[in-house]
Amino acid sequence: MSLTKITRLPSARLLSSIIQQQQLFLLPPITPVMTVSKRSMLQGEYRRPGQPKEDKFPWEKIKFDFAKGLEGIKKHFTLLKTECFERFVGPEGRPLTVHILEQNRVIWEFRGPESLEQWTVSSDREIGGQSEVYLKLGKNNTCFLYGTLSSTPPRDGETRYSGYCTMRSKQLLASFDRKKHHDWTSFNCLHLRVRGDGRPWMINIAGENYFSYRKDDIYNYFLHTRGGPYWQDVKIPFSKFFLTNRGRILDDQYYLWLDKINTIGFTLGDKTDGPFQLEIDFIGVCKDHAHTEEFAYEMNKKNP
Amino acid sequence: MKSVRCLLHLQCLRLLDQSARSAAQCAPLLQSSSSSQPSVLHKTQHQLLRQFHSSPAWSKSQPTPADDHKKDKSLVTNDDLFEQVAKDVKVKATFNKVVDVFLNRDVRRRGHVEFIYAALKKMPEFGVERDLAVYNKLLDVFPKEVFVPRNAVQRMFNHYPRQQECGVQLLEQMEEYGVMPNVETKVLLVQIFGKKAHPIRKYQRMMYWMPKFKHVNPFPVPLQLPEDPVDVARFGLARIANDLDAKVTVYQLPCTDITETGEEITIPHVVGIQSPSQMELLAKHNPNKPVFVEGPFPLWLRQTCVHYYVLRADPPEEKVEEPYDPERSLYYPLRLDVDFGRDLGDEENFDVEDLDEGPVFAMCMTGRGDQATLNQWISGLQENNPMLGQVPTLFRVNAGPQELSASADAESGHAHRPDTETRSEEKLQRDGEPGVIVEEEPQRRQGRNQ
């Protein structure tokens, strides 16, 4: 084939004539790619070793139901209505005098089964552990959290520690599932009335973060219970809470921003196997004028 | 290429000769000298060893004959070392001996990372998991100065990552068991990994946070609880009573008798606590209403769980306002009728419905939670509280040790069994016969008391 002939060929054929030789080698590696299941194309969540594979498309997990839709419409429009009209009463639906003058506020009070619906419980069962946790109404209509802690790590070859039980409040939602936050800027202390069995717990407060890599940033402090038949009033200043990420204390500490609080949680993980119980009467916030500390820890730069 | 390798080979052989001689000379010195005062010999030795590491081709081609008989293909050789050396007694001395055996086995300390991981895993078995000296000794297994980065590139990248990970792991185990590192740990870490390595960072973090939270518990429990159950009960009761005036009384000491027939009778301990305010409450109790002995309720003191019983009553239906007695305290007025001009915003109390659970009169701990033992406690209480003789006492005691940990509320609680089936069964049983309720005639108990 002379040079002129080649140039007269259409460009596509020109390319194929060159590649033709190599295609034989290229083809075998291409075929396995074609046979890879389509599931791998979808980015799923991390699946722990030993967990069965769920062979479903993401849209197959959603329930499309007419009754559910009606219910949703009803719920969201009532929420929207209250949102619109509570502004005429005052900020957050309370009169202005109350809003300005309040020194303390009860955030969660446990007085009936509907108060338990704002909470979720979870344990290390989710990572393959053996702890159990249950939530129910106590004898005096208080929140009664109980279960068994077991610190045996799951035999999956990569988990080294295990053994936690936790209760966490649900995210506040406004109409149409928009996020709503607690605003505690006018308070500086967390006040709880609890009755435990002598075990140390941890209080976790999660605030709203802009960046997604900080979604696991949580502020923590300890809740030591006395045990015994008497209730225990615990007051913890917000300045004492320290910043952690996935259970590790961060080097860059900063105080908790109280204007957007998402959830509060209680975690038990004291490496002691056995049953536990915790009763909570109420969770509130209060203003302590004697407490002026902004942050209890140093806010130094990391690795100077 | 080949000639270079040959040259290296030759050089190494010569070095081997020298180092073997010097190693033989200073081996006893090396083992005896501690890391905190490294001798000159020590240093030269390491320098020589470094030369060895720099020529992997040689070490691959010619294994040292000394290592041949020790070579074991198994991955768990270090576990085996612990099993071999410390066969029966697993104490601190044998643990140290195992570490010494490892140190003496090889000058190069080959496989020290694996050995440290194995040792960390074995520590709770030997009961040394809270011993700082043992941790320092384990850190000493790392060869010194080999892993210190020596130029900018090494410092920039993770220098000897496996070894650093191992060091961090050791420090993390210390943290997990609540052991504070000391200066010796720091010196060792700096000698091993250099000043800015990851283990040093971990050490700095530990030294910053651990002292902050060391005494954070307002209700401290000693690390070693007393052996005697009476002492444990005394401690636990004083903790839950939350009253400095409360008085602990030992109603019965534990002892073991052997009768003529050869049966062993163990008498459990009965330890109770009562405060003056509780006595006052009990004295005011309406004699027509029964009082209850409830329990057992769990109380955790670090790793141990003890159980206590409570003497209580139902909340009174009508609240009787106590007439104010101005002469109760002559030192300061008990009530001030002064209006300090409290504002609307000065409300300090929480707007919560009050829980009324009824008064608690006394608490006790026993070795055996049956009714006879608890009767001992009630009759003992009667000496100071004559009111108890007139009040009917009901026992709401959950029988059976498996339900000991069951619940705080005797009626509605159900035990936490792993599977739901047994739980529902137990609940059914409990609903059928709610506890052991026995009514006591006051006369009978009085008669026994006299």
Side-chain angles (χ1 to χ4, degrees), chain A residues 97 101-106 109 111 125 132 134 136-142 144 146-148 160-161 191 193 195-200 221-222 224-232 240 242 248-251 253 270-277 279 281-287 289 296-300 302-304, chain B residues 169 172-173 175-177 196 201-202 204-205 208-209 212-213 216-219 238-243 275 278 294 297-305 308 310 312 343-357 360-361 363 396 405-420 423:
Chain A
T97 46
L101 293 174
E102 74 178 340
Q103 302 291 306
N104 42 45
R105 191 193 293 172
V106 178
E109 191 185 4
R111 289 293 180 277
R125 174 77 42 111
E132 293 162 42
Y134 307 102
K136 68 166 187 185
L137 269 191
K139 196 181 177 186
N140 293 298
N141 273 341
T142 52
F144 187 68
Y146 65 100
T148 330
R160 275 184 292 152
Y161 315 111
H191 194 113
R193 186 178 292 155
R195 181 163 64 180
D197 55 353
R199 286 198 177 205
Y221 200 67
F222 312 101
H224 291 282
T225 56
R226 178 185 277 279
Y230 292 110
W231 286 94
Q232 182 188 355
K240 299 258 183 203
F242 51 90
R248 307 260 174 203
I249 307 182
L250 291 184
D251 285 348
Q253 290 287 323
D270 62 346
K271 302 180 196 109
T272 310
D273 294 0
F276 64 88
Q277 59 191 40
E279 271 180 276
D281 182 9
F282 72 88
I283 300 166
V285 283
C286 65
K287 191 190 286 179
H289 292 284
Y297 314 102
E298 294 154 31
M299 293 185 282
N300 291 336
K302 187 177 90 175
N303 292 349
Chain B
Q169 184 68 37
E172 193 173 308
Q173 182 159 340
E175 191 186 17
E176 199 190 329
Y177 286 109
K196 297 224 166 182
R201 294 279 182 222
K202 175 82 187 164
Q204 286 165 342
R205 281 177 197 127
Y208 180 74
W209 289 105
K212 276 199 192 320
F213 300 138
V216 83
N217 192 351
F219 320 111
R239 174 181 164 124
I240 62 177
N242 193 12
D243 192 347
S275 67
Q278 285 173 340
E294 287 182 359
F297 304 120
L299 170 71
W300 285 91
L301 304 167
R302 266 184 211 272
Q303 311 285 320
T304 47
C305 186
Y308 63 92
V310 165
R312 71 182 316 151
D343 204 355
L344 278 170
D346 290 349
E347 182 58 48
E348 296 283 318
N349 296 321
F350 283 89
D351 179 24
V352 193
E353 267 180 68
D354 274 342
L355 285 180
D356 201 0
E357 304 193 307
V360 174
F361 299 131
M363 288 165 277
R396 287 178 184 167
S405 53
S407 58
D409 35 1
E411 286 99 351
S412 60
H414 50 90
H416 343 291
R417 294 290 105 194
D419 41 348
T420 47
R423 256 172 62 211

Side-chain angles (χ1 to χ4, degrees), chain B residues 102-255:
Chain B
F102 178 80
L103 289 182
N104 295 341
R105 186 191 259 185
D106 188 4
V107 199
R108 294 167 194 77
R109 307 206 179 153
R110 193 156 284 163
H112 61 272
V113 172
E114 287 76 18
F115 174 75
I116 289 171
Y117 277 131
L120 285 180
K121 206 182 266 178
K122 289 274 172 188
M123 278 177 105
E125 262 179 51
F126 285 77
V128 290
E129 73 272 19
R130 290 179 204 283
D131 201 328
L132 178 58
V134 174
Y135 282 106
N136 283 344
K137 195 173 170 68
L138 265 189
L139 260 187
D140 208 5
V141 172
F142 278 111
K144 313 287 174 307
E145 294 180 17
V146 185
F147 309 139
V148 182
R150 294 197 292 175
N151 54 41
V153 177
Q154 287 178 350
R155 208 164 288 127
M156 198 155 53
F157 294 103
N158 209 355
H159 198 46
Y160 281 101
R162 294 281 167 225
Q163 282 77 4
Q164 289 202 29
E165 259 172 41
C166 182
V168 170
Q169 184 68 37
L170 190 141
L171 287 171
E172 193 173 308
Q173 182 159 340
M174 285 171 79
E175 191 186 17
E176 199 190 329
Y177 286 109
V179 182
M180 275 262 292
N182 61 358
V183 184
E184 197 190 336
T185 320
K186 185 182 185 180
V187 169
L188 279 171
L189 284 173
V190 168
Q191 276 182 353
I192 299 162
F193 296 111
K195 273 183 192 166
K196 297 224 166 182
H198 291 296
I200 286 290
R201 294 279 182 222
K202 175 82 187 164
Y203 166 84
Q204 286 165 342
R205 281 177 197 127
M206 283 166 77
M207 290 307 272
Y208 180 74
W209 289 105
M210 286 179 85
K212 276 199 192 320
F213 300 138
K214 202 174 177 185
H215 301 292
V216 83
N217 192 351
F219 320 111
V221 184
L223 203 59
Q224 280 287 324
L225 275 179
E227 293 286 316
D228 190 9
V230 177
D231 287 341
V232 175
R234 217 184 267 272
F235 176 77
L237 285 171
R239 174 181 164 124
I240 62 177
N242 193 12
D243 192 347
L244 292 179
D245 296 332
K247 218 176 83 185
V248 179
T249 322
V250 181
Y251 296 103
Q252 193 171 277
L253 279 169
C255 57

Side-chain angles (χ1 to χ4, degrees), chain A residues 73-273:
Chain A
I73 288 172
K74 200 177 149 195
K75 184 183 130 201
H76 289 301
F77 277 96
T78 19
L79 275 174
L80 187 67
K81 194 181 142 199
T82 47
E83 259 172 60
C84 290
F85 285 102
E86 74 178 13
R87 294 178 184 227
F88 295 108
V89 184
E92 292 178 39
R94 277 165 309 166
L96 198 63
T97 46
V98 173
H99 183 79
I100 292 174
L101 293 174
E102 74 178 340
Q103 302 291 306
N104 42 45
R105 191 193 293 172
V106 178
I107 312 286
W108 288 280
E109 191 185 4
F110 297 93
R111 289 293 180 277
E114 69 280 351
S115 57
L116 295 187
E117 284 166 13
Q118 302 166 10
W119 295 85
T120 48
V121 293
S122 65
S123 67
D124 62 2
R125 174 77 42 111
E126 294 180 5
I127 62 162
Q130 290 155 22
S131 306
E132 293 162 42
V133 61
Y134 307 102
L135 182 68
K136 68 166 187 185
L137 269 191
K139 196 181 177 186
N140 293 298
N141 273 341
T142 52
C143 155
F144 187 68
L145 185 69
Y146 65 100
T148 330
L149 193 76
S150 160
S151 53
T152 320
R155 297 170 60 87
D156 58 4
E158 64 173 29
T159 314
R160 275 184 292 152
Y161 315 111
S162 174
Y164 70 86
C165 290
T166 178
M167 176 171 95
R168 195 172 191 183
S169 71
K170 285 182 185 160
Q171 169 76 45
L172 280 186
L173 290 176
S175 59
F176 304 110
D177 286 343
R178 287 172 297 137
K179 265 188 176 181
K180 211 165 83 179
H181 316 283
H182 295 280
D183 184 2
W184 297 343
T185 31
S186 51
F187 310 100
N188 62 2
C189 284
L190 186 74
H191 194 113
L192 314 150
R193 186 178 292 155
V194 295
R195 181 163 64 180
D197 55 353
R199 286 198 177 205
W201 288 72
M202 188 160 251
I203 302 178
N204 319 311
I205 297 181
E208 176 69 11
N209 279 316
Y210 182 78
F211 297 107
S212 64
Y213 70 90
R214 299 189 60 189
K215 70 178 161 49
D216 292 322
D217 281 12
I218 276 179
Y219 283 86
N220 289 311
Y221 200 67
F222 312 101
L223 171 70
H224 291 282
T225 56
R226 178 185 277 279
Y230 292 110
W231 286 94
Q232 182 188 355
D233 276 302
V234 186
K235 197 164 106 178
I236 302 168
F238 286 122
S239 64
K240 299 258 183 203
F241 283 83
F242 51 90
L243 181 60
T244 62
N245 182 297
R246 294 180 175 238
R248 307 260 174 203
I249 307 182
L250 291 184
D251 285 348
D252 289 339
Q253 290 287 323
Y254 206 76
Y255 53 82
L256 176 61
W257 284 348
L258 289 168
D259 55 343
K260 283 183 177 178
I261 300 289
N262 279 339
T263 59
I264 188 169
F266 298 90
T267 308
L268 177 77
D270 62 346
K271 302 180 196 109
T272 310
D273 294 0

